[in-house]
Amino acid sequence: MSLLMTMTNLVLLLSIFTLFVQVFSEEAALGPNVVNVGAIFSFDTINGKVAKVAMKAAEDDINSDPGILGGRKLSVALHDSNYSSFLSFIGALQFMETDTVAIIGPQSSVMAHVLSHLANELHVPLLSFTALDPGLSPLQYPFFVQTAPNDKFQMIAIAEMVSYFGWAEVIVVFSDDDQNRNGIIMLDDKLAERRCRISYKATLPPDPMAKRSDVLKELAKIQMMESRVIVLNTFSKTGLLVFEVAKSLGMMEKGYVWIASTWLSTVLDSTSPLKPETANSIRGVLTLRPHTPDSKRKRDFISRWNQLSNGSIGLNPYGLFAYDTVWMIARAVKLLFDQGSTISFSNDERLISLTGMDLNLSALSIFDGGKQLLKNVIETKMTGLTGPVQFNQDRFLINPSYDIINTVETGYRQVGYWSNHSGLSIVPPETLYGKKPNRSSSNQHLDSVVWPGGETIKPRGWVFPNNGRELRIVVPNRVSYRDFVSVVNGTNKVQGYCIDVFLAAIKLMPYAVPYRFIPFGNGHENPSYYELVSKIAAGVFDGAVGDIAIVTDRTRIVDFTQPYIESGLVVVAPVKKISSNPWSFSRPFTPLMWAVTAVFFLIVGSVVWVLEHRINDEFRGSPRQQFVTILTFSFSTMFFSHRENTVSTLGRLVLIIWLFVVLIINSSYTASLTSILTVQQLSSPIKGIDTLISSSEPIGFQIGSFAERYLAEELGIPKSRLVQLGSPEDYAHALEKRQVAAIVDERPYVDLFLSDRCEFSIRGQEFSKRAWGFAFPRDSPLAIDMSTAILALSENGELQKIHDKWLSRSACSSEKSEDEAEQLDLQSFWGLFLICGIACILALLVYSLLMFRQYSRRSPEELDSTNRNNSFSARLRTCLSFIDGKVENSKSSSKRKRDSMHSDV
């Protein structure tokens, strides 16, 4: 009996063991009942507190739905790094010793760079919504995934805000850690793309190690600088300290602009109400907040938040990203199970060999399904509390966008949005995603902003610093043409036309500008203006005032003001006066013009004779008389004094047209002859720059002028032909001694040179249009304000008064300096001659048709007498006799009848 019971117990035990093995095998095949996920944060920070509550809520929501993980439970283990990178690293090692499939975090980018190497080796995905350093490349750190918009897009948004408001320079204040440092590098690049720049970078110790003394030291420097646009990229503890110190220094008043990164919006959203001193210190600041579209799920979660957090902390967007990150892991794990994979870990052979050490490194194991889980995370497509969650090919979240927040007295107000799709807008980004991207400046809009100090007018963004430092204004120490700019010998006084323009413009500036003039040059020859401008670009001087031409090479390294005088290159050459002679009267017309005019006089006279010969007794007589009549009639029309009357319609038509031509010719001749006899005429073989280029003669230019480079590089004139000249006296000597054929220089210098030297003249037209302006460093707001002042001087007439004071001369330059007045040639009148010629031809054709018609209608008797002799010569004589025959004009016959009646009486 006992044997039977023993056998029965053995069978029962064997059955139970078999069932246990079967269940254990099934569980082993399906994976563990608990899916471990780690989270590494500093839970004393705002984002740490918010993330803790949000991740716990996500864990509960996932575990409450058995369909998510097939009955398994998700366990999110929290590790408080307490601002310590060392504790963050220890926490990661602990998680990886306990079969953790993924880690949420770390909170800082500094640790993300370190832990990503560990994740790469053990194939454990790291997902962070706060470590958003643009330098965390997925190529270098494939197991690190950013589940919130990368800081690259935040920097683009700030750069576009700076460009939108028209500021050229910004100062940045940032904590010197990986995330903030790399963010500033990205901001610098994005500003440069928009022709803006960072003028100064103020670094602070990493958050939260910055002390008040550190902040005070940097802000005191910034207060003495020109730019008033300050970008603050740090975290909440350091950021609030910066604003506290700035408030005490008066840097939160009118004229300043502060743009804070997203840390400030987390403070506004999660800390309510703010302390009064904190609220006062941040008033008028612009900040960004990650944009999350409105949805029912989001509203429901917000309504649960007070219950979830017990009112300990307000919800900010990073809480929503924390919630969605946990869901991303849960969905990726579910998909991993659906793909037939299990959660299993294997030992790393490289770590097993280290078992002899005190560190238990052999406990670290490789997650076998890590690569597949990472792939599932990256391929996530879901709609979370933050809206559509999906990664693009660069592993950035699609459609990154931000709210633009303006802190005001009552809290804050939203003034617009920024999205990577459409830029700045007052319309929510999700409403624009279906439209074509339009990033043009005309399509960028923001609502009005309340700036520090309560100002609603956009600050200039730049002021002249009240630091006691004077602007170092360099002026060329010229040895020639000192009317433009010169240093008074033995003194530091600078004077001249350019100086007076600068002083007048300074008076119109909206702020005081202390300055001092610094001469540039050795005083023995004119300085090199290219070297002078390069000194500004190098920071040696703060600006340049003088006769500085605005040329392309210089505009690449400095900014110029609005031009205050036009300038361009001209050619100066010796000229000789053309003396009068007995044949001066013939100068107005060229020989060809004289010949064509004479021919047309004869042609018109002959045509009129043909048209009038049969019916007008005044055009009849012996051949000699008729020839004289043609000549006298033709040339007397020049003075409208012809005695012969025309009676035929065709003759009168031709004569009227011809008299019109004669009127134009007479008027032109009179005007030209008057000019020739009353204006001094000058001549020179040099006609302009084209003559110089085609010749091989030497050309003079002023030392220091851009003319040398222009002639050599632009016009291709060999440098061996170019001769340096230093003064007007050198100009005159070189031209008189034929050392140079001509001089090429800028128009203002030439006008001054010619004012008392009538033996030289400008030849040809001005070429290479240029202008003079004042030079300042690139993107200097002073250049813009000076340009405005110069425009005001031009409009109120002050600029002309200064010009008249220094540069007006009585002068040869006002006399005619061009070539001998151009002779009138056939080109100027061929249209008139063409009309007259056509009229003559048409009149002769009509007359010929009429003659042929009359000839064919002769009487039968005349025809019989003609037929008796049919030879050609006889017919020709008959025809000519007919044409030459006298025909009574109706008016003439009527007149003779009246005369005969009177005689009879």
Side-chain angles (χ1 to χ4, degrees):
M1 186 71 179
S2 61
L3 181 60
L4 180 62
M5 290 181 63
T6 301
M7 292 295 292
T8 303
N9 289 335
L10 287 174
V11 172
L12 181 61
L13 288 174
L14 183 59
S15 300
I16 294 172
F17 178 75
T18 303
L19 179 63
F20 175 78
V21 170
Q22 183 179 0
V23 171
F24 180 79
S25 299
E26 289 178 357
E27 287 184 354
L30 293 174
N33 286 327
V34 177
V35 177
N36 294 318
V37 175
I40 303 175
F41 280 87
S42 295
F43 291 115
D44 189 37
T45 63
I46 292 176
N47 285 339
K49 293 176 181 178
V50 171
K52 182 177 181 179
V53 176
M55 289 188 293
K56 178 61 177 174
E59 177 186 0
D60 293 341
D61 291 345
I62 292 168
N63 290 333
S64 64
D65 185 354
I68 302 298
L69 294 177
R72 301 172 184 82
K73 297 295 183 181
L74 180 73
S75 175
V76 180
L78 305 178
H79 176 80
D80 189 356
S81 63
N82 195 25
Y83 298 103
S84 171
S85 298
F86 175 72
L87 293 180
S88 295
F89 187 74
I90 294 299
L93 290 176
Q94 289 176 345
F95 286 140
M96 293 179 182
E97 287 179 357
T98 56
D99 296 346
T100 299
V101 299
I103 296 176
I104 301 175
Q107 186 169 349
S108 71
S109 294
V110 176
M111 281 312 300
H113 283 275
V114 176
L115 298 185
S116 291
H117 291 288
L118 187 61
N120 291 347
E121 295 297 327
L122 301 181
H123 297 176
V124 177
L126 290 176
L127 287 79
S128 180
F129 47 86
T130 55
L132 304 174
D133 180 4
L136 287 164
S137 165
L139 296 177
Q140 185 178 6
Y141 308 112
F143 278 85
F144 181 79
V145 181
Q146 294 171 329
T147 59
N150 184 282
D151 274 354
K152 165 187 175 180
F153 302 104
Q154 180 179 193
M155 295 304 129
I156 295 175
I158 293 175
E160 291 198 3
M161 289 167 61
V162 171
S163 177
Y164 170 79
F165 287 111
W167 300 312
E169 291 185 359
V170 302
I171 292 173
V172 294
V173 181
F174 64 99
S175 296
D176 195 13
D177 57 46
D178 286 349
Q179 179 163 339
N180 292 296
R181 188 188 312 113
N182 289 337
I184 293 305
I185 293 173
M186 181 64 66
L187 176 63
D188 201 3
D189 292 340
K190 298 306 175 182
L191 286 171
E193 292 175 5
R194 293 157 179 83
R195 290 206 65 188
C196 306
R197 70 185 184 97
I198 296 175
S199 59
Y200 179 73
K201 297 178 181 179
T203 57
L204 301 174
D207 188 85
M209 294 185 293
K211 299 178 182 178
R212 185 181 181 86
S213 59
D214 300 322
V215 175
L216 184 61
K217 178 182 177 182
E218 289 299 330
L219 291 189
K221 292 179 184 177
I222 293 171
Q223 195 174 24
M224 308 303 286
M225 296 178 182
E226 299 168 349
S227 178
R228 286 294 183 262
V229 182
I230 305 170
V231 175
L232 181 56
N233 189 37
T234 180
F235 298 111
S236 58
K237 187 172 181 179
T238 301
L240 292 177
L241 178 60
V242 169
F243 281 126
E244 178 187 334
V245 176
K247 178 71 175 177
S248 67
L249 293 176
M251 297 177 67
M252 298 303 299
E253 302 300 326
K254 177 182 176 182
Y256 281 91
V257 175
W258 286 86
I259 302 175
S261 52
T262 54
W263 69 266
L264 181 56
S265 67
T266 65
V267 174
L268 296 173
D269 289 331
S270 299
T271 308
S272 180
L274 291 173
K275 296 178 181 179
E277 57 270 23
T278 300
N280 288 333
S281 67
I282 63 173
R283 195 169 297 160
V285 177
L286 286 174
T287 185
L288 299 174
R289 176 172 62 194
H291 176 71
T292 55
D294 185 37
S295 66
K296 185 177 184 305
R297 287 190 64 196
K298 177 181 171 182
R299 291 194 298 269
D300 291 343
F301 186 77
I302 293 173
S303 66
R304 294 170 52 198
W305 182 258
N306 283 335
Q307 180 183 356
L308 295 171
S309 64
N310 294 321
S312 62
I313 190 79
L315 176 64
N316 65 50
Y318 292 104
L320 304 178
F321 284 110
Y323 184 91
D324 283 352
T325 300
V326 177
W327 271 92
M328 289 172 63
I329 295 174
R331 287 175 176 270
V333 171
K334 180 181 183 302
L335 182 58
L336 184 71
F337 290 142
D338 293 343
Q339 293 167 341
S341 299
T342 61
I343 295 178
S344 61
F345 293 83
S346 57
N347 293 327
D348 189 338
E349 294 179 357
R350 294 171 297 177
L351 297 177
I352 294 175
S353 62
L354 300 176
T355 54
M357 300 179 65
D358 293 336
L359 294 174
N360 188 20
L361 298 178
S362 61
L364 299 177
S365 54
I366 298 173
F367 178 22
D368 296 328
K371 290 184 178 180
Q372 186 60 46
L373 182 63
L374 174 68
K375 183 174 183 293
N376 294 344
V377 168
I378 295 172
E379 294 177 352
T380 295
K381 290 184 181 180
M382 72 178 198
T383 300
L385 298 183
T386 59
V389 178
Q390 183 180 343
F391 295 94
N392 62 19
Q393 60 183 5
D394 296 321
R395 284 178 46 175
F396 293 136
L397 286 174
I398 62 171
N399 298 327
S401 56
Y402 295 89
D403 301 332
I404 300 176
I405 306 298
N406 180 208
T407 58
V408 293
E409 187 173 1
T410 56
Y412 66 86
R413 53 190 286 267
Q414 188 164 328
V415 296
Y417 305 89
W418 178 90
S419 74
N420 197 44
H421 177 81
S422 54
L424 301 174
S425 173
I426 56 176
V427 180
E430 55 269 18
T431 64
L432 301 174
Y433 289 147
K435 300 179 181 178
K436 184 178 179 181
N438 187 351
R439 302 296 288 274
S440 63
S441 57
S442 61
N443 202 49
Q444 306 295 290
H445 300 287
L446 291 176
D447 284 335
S448 59
V449 177
V450 178
W451 305 100
E455 287 291 309
T456 56
I457 299 174
K458 183 198 75 173
R460 181 191 304 273
W462 182 91
V463 296
F464 199 85
N466 186 22
N467 57 7
R469 186 178 73 84
E470 296 176 323
L471 277 181
R472 298 160 299 176
I473 302 297
V474 61
V475 295
N477 187 9
R478 296 192 58 87
V479 297
S480 62
Y481 296 112
R482 295 170 60 85
D483 296 275
F484 293 104
V485 57
S486 63
V487 179
V488 180
N489 293 332
T491 69
N492 292 325
K493 183 180 179 182
V494 182
Q495 64 182 13
Y497 167 73
C498 302
I499 301 301
D500 280 7
V501 173
F502 175 78
L503 296 177
I506 283 291
K507 293 178 181 178
L508 298 180
M509 298 286 279
Y511 44 83
V513 182
Y515 61 89
R516 61 188 175 94
F517 291 123
I518 302 175
F520 180 79
N522 56 24
H524 302 295
E525 63 179 9
N526 294 332
S528 167
Y529 281 56
Y530 283 98
E531 184 180 350
L532 183 149
V533 170
S534 298
K535 295 285 186 182
I536 301 172
V540 178
F541 302 114
D542 300 311
V545 172
D547 47 339
I548 305 170
I550 304 173
V551 296
T552 304
D553 288 347
R554 298 172 187 174
T555 58
R556 293 193 181 106
I557 58 175
V558 297
D559 281 348
F560 283 93
T561 63
Q562 171 79 16
Y564 59 87
I565 186 173
E566 295 297 324
S567 176
L569 295 178
V570 292
V571 176
V572 179
V575 293
K576 62 180 180 179
K577 185 176 179 180
I578 301 177
S579 58
S580 299
N581 60 70
W583 302 101
S584 295
F585 69 88
S586 65
R587 287 185 192 168
F589 291 159
T590 61
L592 179 61
M593 178 64 184
W594 279 117
V596 172
T597 303
V599 169
F600 260 84
F601 272 112
L602 295 175
I603 290 174
V604 171
S606 301
V607 170
V608 171
W609 176 83
V610 170
L611 299 176
E612 296 288 327
H613 176 66
R614 298 191 72 217
I615 59 176
N616 192 338
D617 290 337
E618 295 181 359
F619 286 87
R620 297 187 65 83
S622 64
R624 180 175 174 276
Q625 289 177 332
Q626 293 182 55
F627 179 73
V628 172
T629 298
I630 291 173
L631 293 179
T632 56
F633 176 81
S634 298
F635 292 103
S636 61
T637 56
M638 180 185 298
F639 312 104
F640 306 98
S641 59
H642 51 283
R643 297 187 306 167
E644 294 80 8
N645 295 319
T646 54
V647 296
S648 68
T649 303
L650 292 176
R652 290 175 176 176
L653 178 63
V654 171
L655 183 61
I656 289 172
I657 295 175
W658 173 243
L659 290 178
F660 174 74
V661 174
V662 170
L663 175 65
I664 301 299
I665 293 175
N666 281 345
S667 301
S668 302
Y669 175 85
T670 303
S672 180
L673 184 61
T674 302
S675 174
I676 289 172
L677 297 179
T678 57
V679 179
Q680 174 180 309
Q681 300 299 305
L682 307 175
S683 70
S684 169
I686 305 298
K687 305 300 181 184
I689 187 63
D690 293 334
T691 308
L692 284 179
I693 294 174
S694 60
S695 71
S696 58
E697 297 185 83
I699 302 170
F701 68 91
Q702 183 181 176
I703 296 175
S705 171
F706 75 94
E708 178 186 15
R709 182 174 297 185
Y710 184 85
L711 293 172
E713 296 180 3
E714 300 295 330
L715 301 183
I717 297 176
K719 287 190 176 182
S720 59
R721 292 181 54 195
L722 303 180
V723 179
Q724 290 186 347
L725 300 172
S727 67
E729 292 73 21
D730 293 342
Y731 283 15
H733 182 268
L735 290 171
E736 289 170 352
K737 300 300 182 180
R738 300 299 297 171
Q739 295 173 355
V740 295
I743 291 171
V744 174
D745 205 351
E746 296 177 69
R747 185 67 186 245
Y749 301 127
V750 169
D751 286 342
L752 211 57
F753 172 71
L754 295 179
S755 62
D756 56 358
R757 292 177 173 84
C758 303
E759 66 273 24
F760 308 111
S761 173
I762 295 174
R763 314 306 297 164
Q765 299 297 317
E766 182 178 306
F767 63 99
S768 180
K769 294 289 185 180
R770 292 289 189 273
W772 290 355
F774 304 137
F776 293 95
R778 290 297 298 270
D779 301 318
S780 170
L782 192 61
I784 299 174
D785 293 338
M786 283 293 291
S787 295
T788 303
I790 290 172
L791 286 173
L793 291 176
S794 177
E795 292 172 356
N796 63 24
E798 187 66 24
L799 200 59
Q800 185 60 43
K801 292 179 183 178
I802 298 173
H803 181 277
D804 295 341
K805 171 186 174 182
W806 287 98
L807 305 181
S808 290
R809 299 286 188 274
S810 56
C812 301
S813 58
S814 62
E815 296 178 357
K816 185 175 182 66
S817 60
E818 296 297 330
D819 259 347
E820 180 180 2
E822 290 188 3
Q823 291 180 308
L824 300 174
D825 56 15
L826 183 61
Q827 186 70 21
S828 304
F829 300 96
W830 73 267
L832 290 173
F833 287 128
L834 178 63
I835 293 173
C836 185
I838 292 174
C840 291
I841 293 172
L842 291 176
L844 290 175
L845 287 175
V846 173
Y847 180 77
S848 299
L849 292 174
L850 292 175
M851 288 298 97
F852 178 75
R853 182 181 178 188
Q854 292 178 13
Y855 182 73
S856 62
R857 291 183 178 181
R858 288 179 299 164
S859 61
E861 293 81 3
E862 292 175 325
L863 290 172
D864 289 342
S865 61
T866 302
N867 291 334
R868 295 190 187 104
N869 190 351
N870 290 327
S871 64
F872 174 77
S873 59
R875 289 196 301 273
L876 180 61
R877 284 195 300 272
T878 303
C879 180
L880 293 176
S881 176
F882 175 79
I883 293 174
D884 187 55
K886 178 70 169 67
V887 177
E888 289 292 333
N889 182 276
S890 58
K891 293 182 179 180
S892 299
S893 59
S894 298
K895 181 180 179 181
R896 281 195 296 271
K897 289 179 180 180
R898 287 196 300 271
D899 292 342
S900 62
M901 290 176 62
H902 286 298
S903 61
D904 292 340
V905 174

